[in-house]
Amino acid sequence: MTTTTDTVRVSDRLDALPFTRRHGKILGGSGIGWALDAMDVGLVSFVIAALSVQWQLAPAEASWIASAGFAGMAIGASVGGLLADRFGRRHVFALTLLIYGLATGASALVGGLAALLVLRFVVGLGLGAELPVASTYVSEFAPARMRGRVIVFLEAFWAVGWTAAAVIGYLVVPSSPDGWRWAFAIGAIPAVYALVVRWALPESPRWLASRGRNAEAAAIVRDLEAAAGRVSLEPSIEGAVASAPSGRPRIAALWAPALRARTVSLWVLWFCVNFSYYGAFIWIPTILVSQGYDLVRSFAFTLIITLAQLPGYAVAAWLIEAWGRRATLATFLAGSAVSAVLFGTASGEAGVIAAGMALSFFNLGAWGALYAATPEAYPTALRATGAGWAAGVGRIASILAPLAVPPLLGLGGAPLLFVVFAAFFAVAVVAALFLREQRGRSLT
């Protein structure tokens, strides 16, 4: 077989490129999908707050609206990674956008809790698969010397989407009894955008080369080189089809001796960060309402807190190439732990907003570093599977977190709740220290 050599040749050519307009198109095209994903997840926090009042939902019933989606995301992330390693990054990326866009639009038409839960599960299938596939896809185009920064910029689109959700939540959801329906209708946009992804973005050349489709891989690399003003004399040779593992053998390969430690570290990281992030941010508007703020004021506070995500990503994007993945991730996770305690014990509007902004800054910076570190921990044939299963394990925590919030609030209020979140962040700090540092290294 010649595919290993061909894959290395493609990898070296990609790593030698500067960041061009073509790279920007790939980053932007994937980032829009990422932002739409964030918008959908963010909208749920506002819809839950509105429906809790309108449908007179008990806290446990409201928590299931979030957890149903996360249950779908756990399955979607695991299956999506396997499909992306088997059928390609671009096709699966477009399919995930189509699934969750249509299901979100349909959610606007539901008349009761049961139907909404079913559709949120379907939405989760698409959402769960989209994020690890998109980060894998973009990481395989990015030159090694700037790959971490590029992935943090991709993750920064999450802040754009969540901010859009906060704006919709503030302006649309409280505007009428059907405001939450209009919010879901806006969330159907990804179904249309899926067509753009399918036809406007190229397939990953690293994945094509790993599958022995070297002529296609070389054509895409030549296009990127032309965009950089370089003319390549590399031949286009169709090699043998790679013998990549599939299904269960691919999952078992994540636990091979060479990969076992990084798989454990990533699974712990994803579980802890998901638990704390979704436990906090899905419930922040509802928690603020329970503390005496009206719906509109609660949504306004959430919008301000959300804006702090953008500088968090910006600082993480710089540090991840200056300090490396481990140091950046551990630092932002430690900041998240401290901020969680401060938010749980904050009093007064200024204190709540300041602590919430700190939590938003550090937590989303940590997410950027985690998404950068995850796909590059695995070789090309296993990259989407490894990223997808790490995300899938994390989604188990995101299912449990919204369900855990009501009883924890009952036991000790917001102080106990956010101390628990801080403890999960602290465990994640330890797990981050065991990651393999990949700064500046070429993807295999």
Side-chain angles (χ1 to χ4, degrees):
M1 298 221 181
T2 60
T3 52
T4 299
T5 301
D6 292 330
T7 302
V8 171
R9 182 188 302 164
V10 166
S11 180
D12 289 344
R13 290 168 66 184
L14 287 170
D15 287 338
L17 289 170
F19 191 87
T20 67
R21 184 173 296 180
R22 289 287 291 163
H23 288 97
K25 180 180 178 182
I26 292 165
L27 174 60
S30 303
I32 291 172
W34 199 284
L36 292 171
D37 189 329
M39 186 180 74
D40 184 278
V41 176
L43 281 175
V44 171
S45 66
F46 298 96
V47 170
I48 288 173
L51 290 182
S52 293
V53 176
Q54 189 177 133
W55 287 0
Q56 297 182 334
L57 299 177
E61 291 176 314
S63 67
W64 273 109
I65 298 175
S67 291
F70 293 132
M73 291 173 80
I75 298 171
S78 304
V79 175
L82 289 168
L83 293 176
D85 278 338
R86 176 66 180 85
F87 298 106
R89 302 356 182 173
R90 181 184 62 167
H91 297 306
V92 177
F93 185 27
L95 179 62
T96 62
L97 290 168
L98 181 64
I99 290 172
Y100 86 75
L102 292 175
T104 299
S107 298
L109 305 175
V110 301
L113 181 60
L116 181 58
L117 293 179
V118 171
L119 284 171
R120 290 310 302 172
F121 177 81
V122 177
V123 168
L125 292 175
L127 290 174
E130 191 262 327
L131 293 177
V133 172
S135 60
T136 296
Y137 174 74
V138 174
S139 72
E140 291 181 343
F141 279 96
R145 64 188 176 280
M146 64 182 75
R147 185 175 59 245
R149 185 164 296 157
V150 169
I151 298 303
V152 175
F153 284 139
L154 172 66
E155 166 68 0
F157 279 89
W158 184 270
V160 175
W162 200 281
T163 302
V167 171
I168 295 168
Y170 180 63
L171 297 177
V172 177
V173 175
S175 64
S176 72
D178 288 330
W180 63 273
R181 296 186 187 274
W182 287 109
F184 275 143
I186 294 171
I189 293 173
V192 179
Y193 187 66
L195 299 176
V196 177
V197 171
R198 175 63 182 82
W199 298 111
L201 298 180
E203 183 54 86
S204 163
R206 295 183 198 264
W207 178 81
L208 289 169
S210 76
R211 305 295 293 181
R213 295 163 61 177
N214 301 294
E216 297 171 71
I220 294 170
V221 174
R222 283 198 302 271
D223 184 51
L224 290 167
E225 290 170 335
R230 299 180 181 182
V231 178
S232 174
L233 300 178
E234 288 283 349
S236 174
I237 301 174
E238 188 70 34
V241 176
S243 55
S246 60
R248 189 171 299 174
R250 185 179 282 123
I251 299 169
L254 301 178
W255 294 94
L259 300 177
R260 188 178 300 142
R262 65 191 76 174
T263 295
V264 171
S265 295
L266 287 171
W267 285 22
V268 171
L269 276 162
W270 276 86
F271 188 92
C272 291
V273 175
N274 269 274
F275 188 92
S276 296
Y277 174 77
Y278 287 108
F281 282 88
I282 289 293
W283 276 94
I284 279 179
T286 304
I287 290 172
L288 292 175
V289 169
S290 70
Q291 292 178 345
Y293 299 103
D294 62 41
L295 202 61
V296 173
R297 199 163 188 77
S298 167
F299 288 0
F301 287 178
T302 304
L303 174 58
I304 295 170
I305 289 169
T306 299
L307 292 175
Q309 296 180 8
L310 290 169
Y313 284 125
V315 174
W318 177 70
L319 289 178
I320 201 163
E321 299 297 355
W323 287 2
R325 282 56 163 153
R326 281 183 305 198
T328 302
L329 181 54
T331 299
F332 275 85
L333 287 169
S336 299
V338 173
S339 300
V341 174
L342 293 176
F343 185 81
T345 56
S347 60
E349 293 184 6
V352 168
I353 292 174
M357 291 180 70
L359 180 60
S360 192
F361 174 92
F362 283 110
N363 199 180
L364 275 297
W367 270 119
L370 182 57
Y371 267 106
T374 300
E376 63 186 22
Y378 297 101
T380 298
L382 295 172
R383 185 163 297 122
T385 299
W389 272 79
V393 170
R395 298 309 176 190
I396 296 173
S398 63
I399 297 167
L400 298 175
L403 298 175
V405 168
L408 286 172
L409 284 173
L411 284 173
L416 173 62
L417 176 65
F418 282 87
V419 165
V420 171
F421 294 153
F424 275 86
F425 282 130
V427 173
V429 171
V430 177
L433 299 177
F434 287 91
L435 287 179
R436 182 187 182 197
E437 182 58 61
Q438 290 287 99
R439 179 178 55 164
R441 296 181 179 179
S442 180
L443 295 177
T444 57

